[in-house]
Amino acid sequence: MANPSILILAGDGIGPEVMAEVKKIIGWYDAKRGITFDVSEDLVGGCAYDKHGTPLHDDTMAKAQEVDCVLLGAVGGPKYDNLDFSVKPERGLLRLRKEMDLYSNLRPAQCFDALADFSSLKKEVVAGLDIVIVRELTSGVYFGEPRGIFTEGNERVGINTQRYTESEIARVARSAFEMARRRNNKVCSMEKANVMESGILWRQVVQEIHDKEYPDVELSHMYADAGAMQLCRWPKQFDVIVTDNLFGDLLSDAAAMLTGSLGMLPSASLGAPMANGRPKALYEPVHGSAPDIAGQGKANPIACVLSFAMALRYSFDLGDEATRLEQAVEKVLAEGVRTADLMGPESGTPVSTSAMGDAIVAALDASL
Ligand code: NAD
């Protein structure tokens, strides 16, 4: 049987630096666990524009459609800020998401005990937190028609349309229920069914999919504004939250910040199952290309490493290996190894990107 395949698109700025540490870990799985990935690499973002005049070459897009998953670093940088909108680095990422039809965006918010002091909330509220927000990514108010700025009488009016079809809601609901079955079997669906018809339909369809296909999963519904309050009050009450594109945009950013640094946050964007049963998938850290620290060996690679752990779990059914990698990260943090973004003003000397990667590999060795 062919090895599982990964397309690495490291991108710009700190993207290649953090991805270098993931490549060490991929090498470790090959050498120490006999798990071999067929890895290919290509360009996305500003570096692709520099070479091809486009942030994503058609050949790269075609490769992304063929592999088991794409691992992306980050795109963008000041050098590209004045480019035409159509060739900006971010367009490469948007094209990948759109053409792979990645409708389910998973944003975990996990608080490692060693970093609980970094949260803006009290330690007891966040210590041990481990939740996932599943955000619908390809529909809703960011895409609905009509949209635009029009003139009515003698004033302008800005219009966006919240629109969801039953099948769009059903497929992201399934994605959340599947996720819950791999975790603590609990889903909370959030919308505004009290004031929006799209919210009423959302609630009905999520309930129907639950009753027909996932009766074993505990399901609750919450208005999204109340959900935002509950996320800040006692986030540990949740396991998986499923919500639409707009509310998910806000709720996932808020939830992410419960846990501290941007350098720690992974994400996955999943689409429909491919012929081999695995979902189309792109894994990437939440952070950008961090031009202020790029090229200095200061970046925290953990967000990218944890994105690879998500790939192990969701694309390759290697949940135990994903847990091994997450526990290696936890061990390194508990030992006090810190990149600069994880240090308070009073603490000691930070380690480099590469030293953090080496420490994670050493912790993987220790796990054997
Ligand atoms: P950013 O996430 O790149 O950086 C924000 C701050 O967080 C910076 O101070 C940076 O140094 C720090 N930071 C980010 N990741 C870090 C890490 N791994 N380790 C340590 N510190 C880290 O956001 P920005 O500054 O708003 O954007 C910079 C560029 O990245 C822009 O061109 C933007 O368009 C692009 N961007 C890309 C993505 C993506 O590729 N998915 C996401 C967001 C922004």
Side-chain angles (χ1 to χ4, degrees):
M1 214 172 79
N3 292 327
S5 56
I6 301 178
L7 173 63
I8 290 186
L9 302 173
D12 307 317
I14 63 168
E17 297 172 52
V18 294
M19 197 59 83
E21 304 315 307
V22 174
K23 286 195 239 168
K24 284 181 190 166
I25 290 165
I26 292 174
W28 183 88
Y29 275 102
D30 185 25
K32 301 288 173 77
R33 301 290 298 150
I35 301 171
T36 306
F37 296 97
D38 282 343
V39 177
S40 51
E41 295 194 53
D42 212 328
L43 304 175
V44 68
C47 57
Y49 175 80
D50 287 341
K51 180 149 185 221
H52 302 299
T54 167
L56 189 75
H57 195 275
D58 289 345
D59 292 348
T60 316
M61 187 65 242
K63 271 190 225 165
Q65 298 283 21
E66 282 162 18
V67 289
D68 290 320
C69 78
V70 176
L71 261 183
L72 190 134
V75 296
K79 180 178 165 193
Y80 308 105
D81 280 353
N82 296 323
L83 287 181
D84 186 72
F85 183 71
S86 63
V87 288
K88 274 192 180 296
E90 292 76 7
R91 302 300 297 174
L93 179 51
L94 292 177
R95 182 176 175 201
L96 280 165
R97 286 181 185 155
K98 185 162 186 282
E99 294 193 17
M100 292 170 76
D101 198 13
L102 303 173
Y103 54 80
S104 176
N105 182 220
L106 274 49
R107 293 270 301 262
Q110 190 176 7
C111 186
F112 292 97
D113 283 351
L115 299 181
D117 284 330
F118 263 77
S119 172
S120 51
L121 297 188
K122 285 192 205 117
K123 190 169 177 168
E124 65 266 26
V125 176
V126 293
L129 178 71
D130 181 7
I131 64 176
V132 178
I133 300 207
V134 178
R135 166 190 172 195
E136 199 291 324
L137 200 59
T138 52
S139 185
V141 73
Y142 293 162
F143 296 93
E145 298 285 346
R147 62 184 297 163
I149 300 175
F150 304 96
T151 303
E152 272 181 15
N154 49 14
E155 67 171 349
R156 288 169 298 162
V157 50
I159 297 181
N160 290 92
T161 303
Q162 167 86 333
R163 180 179 192 279
Y164 269 108
T165 65
E166 205 173 337
S167 53
E168 286 168 342
I169 301 169
R171 65 185 188 171
V172 74
R174 284 192 186 97
S175 173
F177 289 126
E178 291 291 337
M179 178 81 24
R181 276 187 178 161
R182 291 163 181 263
R183 296 172 46 93
N184 297 314
N185 229 29
K186 215 164 88 168
V187 170
C188 180
S189 169
M190 296 189 186
E191 27 55 19
K192 292 277 287 175
N194 49 344
V195 286
M196 297 170 76
E197 284 75 7
S198 59
I200 296 174
L201 183 68
W202 182 281
R203 188 175 282 223
Q204 285 171 355
V205 174
V206 172
Q207 188 68 50
E208 286 160 14
I209 295 292
H210 169 268
D211 296 350
K212 271 191 223 137
E213 300 173 34
Y214 300 91
D216 53 302
V217 179
E218 186 184 326
L219 171 66
S220 60
H221 302 274
M222 207 178 266
Y223 297 138
D225 49 344
M229 278 196 310
Q230 291 300 330
L231 263 180
C232 301
R233 192 186 70 82
W234 192 244
K236 286 187 248 184
Q237 69 186 281
F238 298 111
D239 179 27
V240 175
I241 293 173
V242 62
T243 189
D244 74 13
N245 202 342
L246 173 63
F247 297 140
D249 198 359
L250 309 182
L251 292 169
S252 63
D253 267 21
M257 275 301 109
L258 299 176
T259 68
S261 168
L262 202 51
M264 296 288 301
L265 300 169
S267 79
S269 300
L270 306 181
M274 299 183 283
N276 62 12
R278 296 173 174 143
K280 281 240 153 107
L282 180 146
Y283 300 89
E284 57 179 326
V286 168
H287 62 71
S289 60
D292 53 335
I293 57 165
Q296 301 171 38
K298 288 184 181 167
N300 182 352
I302 291 179
C304 202
V305 169
L306 293 177
S307 301
F308 176 61
M310 293 184 82
L312 291 174
R313 180 170 287 121
Y314 299 122
S315 280
F316 302 121
D317 270 331
L318 292 168
D320 290 349
E321 298 300 339
T323 304
R324 179 196 300 279
L325 181 52
E326 288 158 355
Q327 284 173 349
V329 169
E330 194 159 8
K331 177 170 188 283
V332 163
L333 293 172
E335 285 166 354
V337 182
R338 301 273 188 276
T339 41
D341 57 307
L342 302 178
M343 301 194 88
E346 75 293 345
S347 28
T349 318
V351 302
S352 67
T353 310
S354 165
M356 178 58 95
D358 291 343
I360 296 170
V361 168
L364 284 170
D365 273 335
S367 76
L368 293 177

